[in-house]
Amino acid sequence: MIRTPARALGSRRLTLAHTTTSARNWLRGFHMHVHPTVREALTLGKPVVALESAIVTHGMPYPRNLSVARAVEEIVRTQGAVPATVGVLDGRIHVGLGDPELRALAEREGTLKVSRRDLPYVRSQGLSGGTTVSATMIVANKAGIPVFVTGGIGGVHREGEKTLDVSADLTELGRTPVAVVSAGVKSILDIGRTLEYLETQGVCVAAFGESRDFPAFFCRKSGFQAPYHVPTEKEAAKLIAGALELGLGSGVLIAVPVPPDQAASAQEIEEAIQRALGEARVNGIVGKELTPFVLRRVNELSGGKSLESNMALIQNNARVGSRIAVALSQLQMAPGGGNDGGGRRARGAAQPAQPVVVGGINVDFIAKPKSGPLQADGQTHPGKVIQSFGGVGRNLADCLSRLGWSPLFISALGKDALSQSVLRYCSHMDMGGVAQLEGHSTATYCAVVSGSGKLTVGLGDMDVHEQITQQRVSAFEDRLLRAPLLCFDGNLPLATIRYLCDLAREHRIPVCFEPTDENEASKPFLSDSWTALTYASPNLRELRAIARALGHPGPAELPRELDAVLSVAGDLVRPLLQRLHCVVVTLGEHGVLLCGRLGSPPTVSLNPAPDEPRTPEGLFATHYPALPVPAAEIVNELGAGDSFLGGMLAGLLSGLGTGPCVGLGMLAAGFSLRSPWPISPRISTTTVNPERMRSGHWPEPRTWRID
């Protein structure tokens, strides 16, 4: 059975109390779902290419739109990048679509064409739609994706000097630092005035390939010259990196001509455009409906030649844009090559909001006897001793990093040989907040576990954790204020805990407290600091210590039988639910108990629907039985709880529902139970994801009222 003896996911608040009026916070992880594959790529600095979805919803008929979208994504992958198609489904912005979501957009009728102006309305009404160039640029920038591939951008419409009909794509390029790779400007537009408008907006425009000829979507030449010329993907990447480094705040347009063998006849296309525009005037078709109408009629009038050319140029743009993204990633990650020297993106490149974890980090020595229980007889017993790396805060940051979220980790180490081994092992994590202190020793923890992996006795030298002071942590206050989630463990000094809770309360930051053991569990509850918590994560012993700190004594002896355990947990959790919305109590081999006060069954979510049922009021509990893990496969239990919490938090940050969040936690815990390391190296977005939960038997949860 999955056993989470010391630490696993605790309380979860149902309503996110982290509101803001800024657009950046509006899109920071709460109303924007980043696909795990995209999240992992961004975390690791891999190249990602943003793709629009208006071409899926409004550019081509079904099923051709779906097949083209799939083909474009596959082209991006074959070039070494990760595709991130942007779309809106039921009011939720998605960065990266799985095949079911892509199909839903392709098949669904009545979807909207979503530009910058439409995003608030579509979000508020829970509608679905395909994002245009401007909306995709906004989302890509918020997610930290610097390269976006599309077919052709909008521009100044013909006779735009009379109608003032200018695409939002142009103004977006003037204020959003994303590189747009396109086949120039749609030939149905006034290309000369469009280039002039881009100059006014301060947009750097460069033709890609052999010449400065500016392409016109279906045609390789428009009769106009681009201001600049980049002959190769590497040169284009250098141009983009330079723009990001300058921090101008504007975009870059890379204009890629359609392949020669797929270019349409300029004269034939121009004749079809003029006829389609005339029909649009007669029928009163204007605004955002004009371009889809004209493109559709041009395709009909050209006998399908324009559609074939359209698909060819989109796929060509995907090839070129992906290679540019790969070259840009290599440039930014190279020492001294457009990054900050630490493998991070160039200044000016947008970054996704990072969770922040503040807590302990240890070098662990885990001893396991070869046979039989240990006797305190003063003798040396044969066994196996391994060195690993732990600490509750480190474990959480490690698990979240492996699951596609790269939290800033704030902690303290000594400046000694052990600290160097820690930093080498944790190189996949953001250790930018870890201080190395002269005159202090890196924390160590010695654990003796039984043959079944249970902790028998532990001994810790944790004095350096007292150096995770308020002063050190407050140096990262700007990162704390931008975090979608803050986690801290019980290793911290009381003053630091109070500081974090006060900051969370004042700025409405979701905050999770992870007790390290029964002795440290009550720290936030010795004052009113705990009322600022959004989440907590006690096991049954830690929950009893918390209840006692709040003046509610629990039983002297804790039960072991399931029914009695559930009854005691329900009694102990009531004081916390006076302020917390949801509590998850980990019960070792008995699974987890989720308790809440907003209806039956209780749920966990960082982004509950506005109309989420809130009645009947009362306290409810749902018991999730543990997944079976054969005893022979269990190596140790020390990190299972932290893996569970990391998996569940990753699900919450990704906007998953309650069941999937619990399932991700259990999958992660299962890997760590089978590993000698507290956080199994096998944990990743490939091994721990919702798709993995569809196989195997999952025990049914049970819900009841506890008040």
Side-chain angles (χ1 to χ4, degrees), residues 47 64 118 172 175 256 286 296 323 351 388 390 393 423 431 474 477 486 533 586 595 632 650 656 702:
R64 197 151 202 184
D118 309 302
E172 204 62 54
R175 59 186 170 188
V256 182
V286 295
R296 184 171 60 253
R323 292 169 187 165
Q351 290 289 323
S388 64
L423 294 174
M431 303 286 279
S474 64
E477 188 166 301
L486 164 64
L533 298 178
T586 56
C595 306
L656 300 181
R702 179 168 60 95

Side-chain angles (χ1 to χ4, degrees), residues 106-234:
E107 292 179 338
R108 192 175 298 186
E109 296 182 358
T111 53
L112 299 179
K113 190 177 182 183
V114 182
S115 185
R116 168 185 274 266
R117 71 169 187 181
D118 309 302
L119 280 170
Y121 182 78
V122 171
R123 161 62 193 156
S124 66
Q125 299 298 311
L127 302 175
S128 298
T131 53
T132 64
V133 169
S134 65
T136 307
M137 287 183 69
I138 293 169
V139 176
N141 182 47
K142 303 300 182 184
I145 304 172
V147 177
F148 161 44
V149 168
T150 184
I153 66 168
V156 178
H157 282 253
R158 301 189 185 197
E159 299 186 350
E161 71 277 12
K162 300 177 182 178
T163 64
L164 299 181
D165 193 348
V166 179
S167 170
D169 299 352
L170 304 187
T171 50
E172 204 62 54
L173 273 161
R175 59 186 170 188
T176 302
V178 170
V180 179
V181 179
S182 81
V185 177
K186 296 181 178 72
S187 51
I188 63 174
L189 304 171
D190 188 325
I191 296 175
R193 285 191 169 90
T194 297
L195 287 170
E196 291 176 0
Y197 195 94
L198 287 170
E199 180 183 0
T200 301
Q201 292 291 311
V203 178
C204 184
V205 179
F208 178 86
E210 299 173 353
S211 72
R212 282 180 54 196
D213 288 321
F214 189 79
F217 202 56
F218 301 123
C219 307
R220 290 177 60 81
K221 296 182 180 181
S222 64
F224 296 90
Q225 296 281 295
Y228 302 106
H229 168 229
V230 284
T232 66
E233 289 86 356
K234 289 185 179 180

